[in-house]
Amino acid sequence: MSTITIYHNPDCGTSRNTLALIRASGIEPTVIEYLKTPPDRETLKTLIARMGMRVRDVLRVKGTPYKELGLDAAHWSDDELIDQMLAHPILINRPIVVSHLGVRLCRPSDMVIELLPQRPAGEIRKEDGTPLLVDTPIAGSDPDLALALQEAGLPTDDLAESGRSFFAYATVSGERVGYGGFERMGRDVLVRSLVVLPHARHRGLGGGMLALLLRRAFDEGGRDAWLLTTTAAPFFERAGFKPIERSVAPAAILATRQAASLCPSSAVLLGRRMTL
């Protein structure tokens, strides 16, 4: 049987969801409660390197002494940041999952799917009742994507142009439930083409799709997310986005076809920092 290790915090909902999904796949993992048994320096450095992430990106901000210690300052070296993580294990973001398929910081918990040798049978739901999701990269020319956006009244004229990344979303059992995409300009990311299919609405899927989309953009180097909407501002604000005056938005975002011509002038611009 495949061996999986999870660096787990039982007080964290994302960590609990991840552990539940591993078990639902038929595997009983090795569970390391890292606040009680933190990894040593070499183990932590190896985990971070195998994830392909910067040390700073593995730091947890919420519910930790991150701000009190001033860890947002640029002068901290990787070794110094690791010193702080070892001294204060709560600074290690969670959950980190290790399998023969790789090592991932599983935020959102849906990311653990990539590390499982086989998917669970049937639907798996998170503690809040929403299904775990699987995202699959698709081409902008995908006709089902275009049809879904057209039916939702969202722009389609620039789907096939370069610089865009699109995904189809499905439940663990394979039910396709929506689409989403982004354009990345350095650290700035324009979230676009996010739509839940009509049959799948009112099931709390939009938040899970958005979380996965932002994680994919984060992994490509995005750190500030932006979007334009005429009808969905309350949904995005619940996800941490805030209204932004266009006059202070990055020029690269304002120069996108979505901002410059495809979205109506009445569309609201929203933005947020991207963190894990």
Side-chain angles (χ1 to χ4, degrees), residues 58-60 64-66 69 71 84-85 88-93:
V58 183
L59 285 169
R60 182 164 178 82
T64 76
Y66 178 93
L69 293 169
L71 297 181
Q84 295 299 325
M85 296 164 85
H88 309 278
I90 193 68
L91 287 167
I92 303 172
N93 215 338

Side-chain angles (χ1 to χ4, degrees), residues 151-174:
E151 292 181 343
L154 296 175
T156 60
D157 289 355
D158 65 334
L159 293 179
E161 295 179 11
S162 62
R164 290 134 174 82
S165 298
F166 295 101
F167 300 85
Y169 298 91
T171 63
V172 175
S173 63

